[in-house]
Amino acid sequence: MIWCVLMIGILLSQSSAHPGFFTSIGQMTDLIHTEKDLVTSLKDYIKAEEDKLEQIKQWAEKLDRLTNTATKDPEGFVGHPVNAFKLVKRLNTEWSELENLVLKDMSDGFISNLTIQRQYFPNDEDQVGAAKALIRLQDTYNLDTDTISKGNLPGVKHKSFLTAEDCFELGKVAYTEADYYHTELWMEQALMQLEEGEVSTIDKVSVLDYLSYAVYQQGDLDKALSLTKKLLELDPEHQRANGNLRYFEYIMTKEKDTNKSASDDPSDQKTTPKKKGIAVDYLPERRKYEMLCRGEGIKMTPRRQKKLFCRYHDGNRNPKFILAPAKQEDEWDKPRIIRFHDIISDAEIEIVKDLAKPRLSRATVHDPETGKLTTAQYRVSKSAWLAGYEDPVVSRINMRIQDLTGLDVSTAEELQVANYGVGGQYEPHFDFARKDEPDAFQELGTGNRIATWLFYMSDVSAGGATVFPEVGASVWPKKGTAVFWYNLFASGEGDYSTRHAACPVLVGNKWVSNKWLHERGQEFRRPCTLSELE
């Protein structure tokens, strides 16, 4: 009996996918144009087939009229020498031409185009990544499956719906990850849409098969039994469901006997059923992080708010900013987070994006053990690195950062440009290397990351905030602005309150670029203090 239940775990997981592959908005827009091109090619193919059928139809109608006349007086018809000649000619030549026309494959152009474009198509890994992004958004922004399925998201311009088959596929992705909580949610959504009469390629039996097992895995035996009986009403011969039914009934009978024995013996305690819910993951501040992403974070007290100001900043009397000072706004006090308004122009943004787009690849992080760059599942975005010598705009941006921060950018890392599509995120992390990561930036030879400068190069319709879970700060994207903070105290010690994250993009597209400034070269620009925490 146990075998029957366990077999579903094997049979329902025949296909597995690579985790967390991400496609940027830039690549997604390219896919839109690719699909448009394919649709145009498909319509050309349809037109060619229609033209071909029209020729065949005209030929058939002409011969239909001719043969109707000929069959009324066959001898008289072929008695005419011209008719006799044309009959021989048609049968010997024209019917062969018609045969060639019928056999002519009009799909060559379409198939050729499809074959060329297929190399740019998403694969199974991309599809799984897109599904995981939806599930990630569901959790972060407290969205129910019906809201997502109906496309009722804030800030959407192009509303879209999920079919029952789409919901079923999302449930299957969760299932392959042994995420039975989300499997249940999405299978229930698929079932609800089917019961509302939606026409679909999937059936209720398949949905109930997954759903009953997911519910069982979460410890709700009563519901699993009920769903299994519902499945058997639709398909009484379902082998696995019949085996599961016997097993569930056996387990329930056994539990009743155990509970009865426990009630007879007060010293025995009843077992607490397994509670359903989202599995606990490795991220300790998950709840606080997600609250901040939703704008439900810690609110600063009025006394602290009064200490935050807006000001004009001339970069310590820098000639470039004396006549046109930068607009500065305090976003947070500890750690001090400053936003610069109108600090990068739309034209500069487009140049930076154009330079970065051809190079966008899966974003990397520093491996604390090896000190080398590597991909990580907690950072889901595409990024590219731009050096100052590549374009005058990049060089000008670098100098602007130096002029406004007073820090030397010659030892900084190259300008990193990142694109976060829907579901793109960077979970809570530190920009600086901790004491247990002494070799994190050894290859650079420029010391630790003393400060972070972050440009927002797009507005985001919903989501995409930069949040600091340790202190409860949320900084929302605004195109043309930049935020700046120190990762290290003046003493060189790390400021652990700067742990931050990039929230998932719920709706829209997020472009940012950042500059990590390092310790070397700042000795006289930001002198050390005697106190560790200053």
Side-chain angles (χ1 to χ4, degrees):
M1 289 184 184
I2 296 175
W3 176 84
C4 294
V5 178
L6 295 180
M7 272 304 292
I8 191 172
I10 300 170
L11 295 174
L12 294 184
S13 58
Q14 294 297 315
S15 61
S16 60
H18 302 289
F21 188 87
F22 177 80
T23 306
S24 74
I25 284 287
Q27 288 178 315
M28 295 294 279
T29 54
D30 289 343
L31 290 179
I32 291 289
H33 296 300
T34 296
E35 190 169 44
K36 175 63 178 175
D37 181 58
L38 285 174
V39 170
T40 301
S41 182
L42 180 60
K43 289 170 74 174
D44 290 343
Y45 161 64
I46 293 169
K47 180 68 167 57
E49 288 285 9
E50 288 174 342
D51 290 345
K52 170 182 162 182
L53 287 171
E54 184 60 30
Q55 290 181 59
I56 296 169
K57 182 181 176 182
Q58 289 175 4
W59 206 83
E61 288 174 349
K62 182 183 75 172
L63 285 184
D64 187 41
R65 290 192 299 271
L66 186 65
T67 53
N68 282 339
T69 302
T71 53
K72 289 177 181 177
D73 181 13
E75 289 184 5
F77 186 83
V78 295
H80 193 299
V82 172
N83 287 341
F85 168 73
K86 293 189 72 171
L87 175 62
V88 172
K89 177 176 175 288
R90 278 198 307 274
L91 291 173
N92 181 56
T93 306
E94 293 180 18
W95 275 97
S96 294
E97 291 173 354
L98 179 65
E99 180 184 13
N100 291 334
L101 176 61
V102 171
L103 293 175
K104 185 177 180 181
D105 189 356
M106 311 302 291
S107 66
D108 286 349
F110 171 68
I111 295 300
S112 175
N113 191 21
L114 182 63
T115 302
I116 292 169
Q117 299 289 6
R118 194 182 296 279
Q119 62 182 311
Y120 305 112
F121 280 16
N123 55 25
D124 290 343
E125 194 175 9
D126 297 324
Q127 186 172 327
V128 169
K132 287 182 176 179
L134 266 181
I135 293 172
R136 188 158 58 240
L137 293 173
Q138 178 184 359
D139 289 345
T140 303
Y141 296 104
N142 270 350
L143 302 171
D144 59 68
T145 52
D146 195 50
T147 297
I148 298 174
S149 181
K150 291 178 178 176
N152 295 326
L153 302 176
V156 293
K157 293 180 181 177
H158 310 284
K159 195 170 181 179
S160 187
F161 302 86
L162 291 176
T163 64
E165 185 181 2
D166 294 331
C167 297
F168 181 69
E169 288 301 319
L170 285 165
K172 282 172 64 178
V173 168
Y175 180 87
T176 58
E177 298 291 311
D179 179 0
Y180 301 114
Y181 171 74
H182 288 104
T183 303
E184 179 185 358
L185 293 179
W186 284 106
M187 291 300 173
E188 282 185 336
Q189 181 65 30
L191 184 63
M192 182 183 77
Q193 291 181 204
L194 289 174
E195 289 178 340
E196 288 175 351
E198 182 180 317
V199 178
S200 178
T201 56
I202 61 163
D203 54 53
K204 293 180 185 178
V205 171
S206 299
V207 176
L208 286 165
D209 200 6
Y210 277 94
L211 181 56
S212 59
Y213 184 72
V215 169
Y216 162 73
Q217 283 289 346
Q218 294 180 88
D220 193 341
L221 201 56
D222 288 333
K223 187 174 179 180
L225 181 63
S226 173
L227 291 167
T228 303
K229 288 179 178 178
K230 189 173 181 178
L231 189 161
L232 289 170
E233 288 175 6
L234 299 171
D235 183 4
E237 304 302 318
H238 198 285
Q239 185 177 358
R240 185 164 52 246
N242 277 297
N244 289 348
L245 180 66
R246 292 191 295 271
Y247 175 70
F248 293 155
E249 288 175 339
Y250 166 75
I251 292 294
M252 291 185 77
T253 302
K254 191 174 179 181
E255 283 186 354
K256 285 179 182 177
D257 292 341
T258 303
N259 291 337
K260 186 178 179 183
S261 300
S263 63
D264 294 338
D265 185 356
S267 63
D268 289 340
Q269 294 182 348
K270 292 183 180 181
T271 57
T272 304
K274 186 178 177 183
K275 292 183 179 179
K276 296 195 292 182
I278 301 173
V280 177
D281 61 19
Y282 69 91
L283 196 61
E285 68 264 66
R286 168 73 66 186
R287 184 171 172 273
K288 189 185 292 185
Y289 157 59
E290 292 182 347
M291 284 181 66
L292 289 168
C293 290
R294 295 191 295 269
E296 301 170 1
I298 302 166
K299 304 301 179 186
M300 189 180 287
T301 62
R303 177 177 289 184
R304 287 174 64 189
Q305 283 182 336
K306 288 179 181 178
K307 297 179 181 179
L308 303 182
F309 296 95
C310 292
R311 68 186 68 81
Y312 286 107
H313 179 63
D314 62 10
N316 295 321
R317 303 294 294 169
N318 187 294
K320 297 176 186 175
F321 294 100
I322 291 176
L323 292 179
K327 290 179 276 188
Q328 239 185 33
E329 178 187 0
D330 294 330
E331 286 279 353
W332 205 258
D333 54 354
K334 291 182 180 180
R336 192 181 181 209
I337 305 168
I338 300 170
R339 188 193 292 265
F340 290 86
H341 290 269
D342 303 320
I343 204 63
I344 184 171
S345 69
D346 289 352
E348 289 173 326
I349 287 172
E350 290 309 311
I351 289 171
V352 169
K353 285 166 63 175
D354 288 343
L355 289 170
K357 281 177 183 177
R359 310 186 209 172
L360 286 175
S361 60
R362 179 68 186 269
T364 55
V365 297
H366 270 282
D367 187 322
E369 294 183 4
T370 64
K372 296 181 179 179
L373 292 172
T374 182
T375 60
Q377 295 307 312
Y378 59 83
R379 187 177 192 187
V380 187
S381 65
K382 290 281 178 105
S383 68
W385 299 83
L386 303 179
Y389 61 80
E390 295 183 57
D391 192 277
V393 169
V394 179
S395 178
R396 188 164 68 241
I397 287 171
N398 287 342
M399 288 310 300
R400 189 176 304 155
I401 295 170
Q402 177 167 304
D403 292 337
L404 290 171
T405 62
L407 299 176
D408 186 354
V409 295
S410 66
T411 59
E413 295 173 49
E414 293 178 348
L415 187 71
Q416 182 182 218
V417 183
N419 179 215
Y420 296 83
V422 173
Q425 64 166 4
Y426 192 173
E427 290 185 350
H429 62 282
F430 297 102
D431 281 350
F432 65 91
R434 275 74 66 212
K435 289 182 178 179
D436 58 346
E437 304 168 340
D439 300 329
F441 304 113
Q442 189 175 15
E443 287 187 357
L444 298 177
T446 52
N448 211 341
R449 288 174 175 166
I450 191 173
T452 297
W453 178 284
L454 177 65
F455 284 111
Y456 292 113
M457 302 198 302
S458 66
D459 294 312
V460 180
S461 300
T466 305
V467 299
F468 295 73
E470 295 293 319
V471 296
S474 296
V475 181
W476 298 91
K478 184 180 179 184
K479 187 178 181 181
T481 69
V483 289
F484 172 78
W485 67 86
Y486 280 104
N487 298 306
L488 307 179
F489 292 111
S491 63
E493 292 294 319
D495 185 350
Y496 284 79
S497 67
T498 61
R499 184 171 171 83
H500 60 285
C503 296
V505 175
L506 177 57
V507 178
N509 175 22
K510 180 182 175 184
W511 283 91
V512 298
S513 58
N514 64 276
K515 194 79 171 172
W516 282 308
L517 298 110
H518 283 248
E519 289 179 292
R520 298 293 178 264
Q522 320 304 345
E523 293 83 358
F524 299 104
R525 293 172 180 262
R526 194 191 188 214
C528 290
T529 59
L530 297 177
S531 171
E532 256 190 26
L533 303 180
E534 284 184 5

